[in-house]
Amino acid sequence: MQASANGSPTAQIGVTGLAVMGRNLARNFARHGFTVALHNRTAARTRALVEEFGDEGSFVPTETAEEFVAALERPRRLMIMVKAGAATDAVIDEFAPLLEPGDMIIDGGNAHFLDTRRREAALRERGIHFVGSGVSGGEEGALHGPSIMPGGSAESYAVLGPMFEAISAQVEGEPCCTHIGTDGAGHFVKMVHNGIEYADMQLIAEAYDLLRHVAGYTPPQIAEVFREWNKGRLDSYLIEITAEILAHTDEKTGKPFVDIVRDAAEQKGTGRWTVQTALDLGSPTTAIAQATFARVASSRTALREAYRRLSGGTDHPLRPHEAERYVATVEHALYASKVIAYDQGWTMIRDAAEEYGWTIDLADVAAIWRGGCIIRAAFLDRIRAAYSADPHLPSLLAEPEFADEITRAQVPWREVIAAANRRGIPVPAFSSALAYYDTLRAGRLPAALIQGQRDFFGAHTYHRTDREGVFHTLWAETGRPEVEA
Ligand code: 2AM
């Protein structure tokens, strides 16, 4: 059914920006019984949507900004689905003057959370709720049920929540949508989701590389391994699609698909944002950083050319009976590294909550990522349970079951990395996850020496282990006396 803009507001929500994400979200709302006002800078897109999908639900196509706003029931809910950045500001500038206090602008794009904070503060002054909302799951997710991460005011969620929850993915009867926190919290959490996604993908890629070059397996054999893994604790969308990709043969050459793709990984930038933000927050998000740098390094053709012929490791491939055992070893290493990467992600969310004054339910974050998004996995149930049992859990590894698993994985984890090192196979994400584990579990760190160096060359002072106070050693004086700073 298609309603038309006849002057009286009928639409519960409006979507402006009808490229594929916006179009699919609009259709999703309509398919769930909401009347959806449609708008796009170029009206042809609006017309195309109605022509192709008008029978899916109730749409109100509009051409001008005024018509669009007039079609919305009050308080108005206006969702922006344009490319993040200048276009978002342009659209806000266009619509905000037409809105009234209490109305809501939802930004469903991949905005930087600091931009969202800025926009939210500016619009709040005018009484308009600005809801920066992470939407994960790509085109398919937008149409069939994404994971939705709205920020903004609790007041706006009271109105928007039921609509978002209706169109989101559902897992065991629960919606993959919750109010994350105020202002930029939703976009922040979406950014970390993407960062974790980078880490997970890199870890899986390293596991593949090891099975290929240490175990000597073919891509179809590795696809089988991943299918098996997908029945266990690694059960996830990313493992599932990895198996499909590895099983795929290129039609033109008859070679495994993975062998005909150029090995230069690209990115749209959310991984980079996560790493930049982690540094600002002082969050040790090393697995995401390594994953992001690994993509960057893979794309540096000239550097790779300069290094290409340098000598590497020496070990021989494994014999078949060793290879079989090795698969289980890699599974341990992958799982343990994955736990570390996710733990770092949650740590970063907690750090940001403290920095920006957000109240974020860490169990809910796990719950809404169980469906609709790229990192959806059985494993998230475990994270949810851990934070439900203790919202103040300082780390996943403080939970006995995770601690137990990692303890059991430890020997194979180290073995895998040592064997990769001997052979000269790069495993940056595996290694950095293990280094993080060893750093945090160490009784004493060489950080003490670094404090000494800092005090020596820059009089930066240090704390003592045995007394309170701030100290400096007069390094240039005879006897190097210590003074209290
Ligand atoms: P368009 O169809 O008129 O190009 C993704 O690019 C979506 O964002 C498209 O719907 C596009 O509209 C819209 N978009 C991009 N920049 C925009 C801008 N500055 N103002 C309004 N819409 C914009």
Side-chain angles (χ1 to χ4, degrees):
M1 192 196 86
Q2 182 195 323
S4 65
N6 59 5
S8 61
T10 55
Q12 283 123 334
I13 190 146
V15 180
T16 181
L18 299 174
V20 66
M21 284 296 288
R23 182 179 66 185
N24 283 359
L25 264 187
R27 290 172 59 197
N28 192 349
F29 276 118
R31 287 166 163 205
H32 280 87
F34 298 107
T35 298
V36 187
L38 302 173
H39 177 269
N40 192 65
R41 179 177 60 184
T42 315
R45 273 199 211 269
T46 313
R47 286 194 288 270
L49 195 165
V50 175
E51 257 164 49
E52 271 182 76
F53 307 107
D55 57 355
E56 288 185 353
S58 175
F59 295 107
V60 185
T62 68
E63 297 217 348
T64 67
E66 290 75 13
E67 252 179 42
F68 182 53
V69 168
L72 299 173
E73 284 179 358
R74 290 180 199 184
R76 301 182 182 90
R77 281 143 266 166
L78 189 160
M79 188 149 186
I80 303 177
M81 293 300 297
V82 302
K83 194 168 175 289
T88 311
D89 283 314
V91 174
I92 291 171
D93 289 345
E94 183 180 6
F95 287 101
L98 307 176
L99 299 180
E100 291 169 309
D103 288 348
M104 296 159 218
I105 298 181
I106 305 114
D107 175 16
N110 256 337
H112 194 289
F113 77 100
L114 292 178
D115 285 334
T116 301
R117 281 171 62 80
R118 167 177 60 78
R119 291 166 182 148
E120 196 273 342
L123 287 164
R124 191 171 355 119
E125 289 204 348
R126 301 157 76 162
I128 296 169
H129 297 278
F130 184 72
V131 181
S133 186
V135 179
S136 179
E139 298 169 21
E140 283 300 298
L143 183 59
H144 298 293
S147 176
I148 311 181
M149 293 150 255
S153 64
E155 210 181 329
S156 62
Y157 194 80
V159 177
L160 291 169
M163 300 181 72
F164 282 164
E165 290 176 17
I167 67 153
S168 74
Q170 312 285 319
V171 174
E172 289 159 11
E174 292 179 83
C176 292
C177 173
T178 189
H179 183 227
I180 300 288
T182 49
D183 59 76
H187 275 142
F188 181 89
V189 163
K190 171 65 190 344
M191 175 187 77
V192 175
H193 165 281
N194 287 22
I196 293 174
E197 175 187 313
Y198 276 47
D200 211 338
M201 289 167 72
Q202 176 66 25
L203 290 169
I204 291 172
E206 289 176 17
Y208 149 77
D209 211 28
L210 294 170
L211 294 174
R212 185 104 192 241
H213 297 112
V214 179
Y217 282 16
T218 62
Q221 284 175 313
I222 302 171
E224 265 319 301
V225 170
F226 276 94
R227 281 196 191 111
E228 276 307 306
W229 286 355
N230 206 36
K231 294 177 189 160
R233 58 188 177 171
L234 286 169
D235 172 5
S236 64
Y237 172 71
L238 281 171
I239 294 278
E240 179 193 326
I241 64 163
T242 301
E244 291 206 23
I245 294 162
L246 289 172
H248 180 56
T249 304
D250 174 51
E251 216 175 87
K252 292 194 188 72
T253 58
K255 289 183 184 169
F257 168 80
V258 72
D259 286 347
I260 58 99
V261 178
R262 277 188 58 191
D263 57 347
E266 297 173 11
Q267 59 166 318
K268 281 194 176 164
T270 38
R272 182 171 56 233
W273 283 354
T274 315
V275 181
Q276 287 168 336
T277 306
L279 290 172
D280 290 339
L281 289 168
S283 305
T285 317
T286 59
I288 299 173
Q290 284 301 337
T292 309
F293 283 129
R295 288 197 191 188
V296 169
S298 76
S299 305
R300 294 297 297 264
T301 314
L303 283 176
R304 287 182 66 184
E305 197 49 48
Y307 274 67
R308 194 179 300 279
R309 271 174 286 279
L310 298 180
S311 61
T314 49
D315 263 11
H316 301 294
L318 299 177
R319 283 186 270 275
H321 69 279
E322 294 171 322
E324 217 164 284
R325 201 195 133 260
Y326 182 69
V327 169
T329 315
V330 175
E331 195 268 352
H332 272 298
L334 176 55
Y335 183 76
S337 305
K338 176 169 162 143
V339 171
I340 297 290
Y342 280 61
D343 192 36
Q344 291 177 347
W346 260 261
T347 298
M348 187 172 170
I349 293 172
R350 193 205 332 264
D351 291 345
E354 198 168 306
E355 174 72 19
Y356 295 108
W358 298 325
T359 305
I360 299 183
D361 184 321
L362 297 175
D364 278 357
V365 173
I368 65 161
W369 287 348
R370 292 179 305 155
C373 67
I374 303 298
I375 66 168
R376 61 185 183 260
F379 170 71
L380 290 161
D381 270 326
R382 303 267 316 280
I383 299 183
R384 178 198 206 179
Y387 281 111
S388 294
D390 180 2
H392 302 293
L393 202 66
S395 153
L396 284 179
L397 296 207
E399 193 264 351
E401 265 186 54
F402 277 118
D404 207 44
E405 277 182 306
I406 299 298
T407 308
R408 272 185 282 121
Q410 205 196 133
V411 172
W413 194 13
R414 293 184 193 285
E415 248 178 58
V416 164
I417 291 166
N421 288 346
R422 277 198 301 277
R423 289 177 164 82
I425 296 172
V427 281
F430 276 20
S431 307
S432 83
L434 179 59
Y436 181 82
Y437 173 78
D438 282 334
T439 296
L440 294 190
R441 67 166 198 87
R444 278 269 310 147
L445 288 168
L449 178 58
I450 289 171
Q451 283 298 83
Q453 292 164 333
R454 295 178 69 246
D455 191 58
F456 191 107
F457 66 66
H460 292 306
T461 72
Y462 52 89
H463 295 272
R464 294 183 59 99
T465 57
D466 55 354
R467 277 164 54 204
E468 287 298 312
V470 182
F471 299 92
H472 169 53
T473 291
L474 303 170
W475 295 98
E477 290 187 18
T478 323
R480 303 191 156 165
E482 182 181 76
V483 294
E484 204 148 349

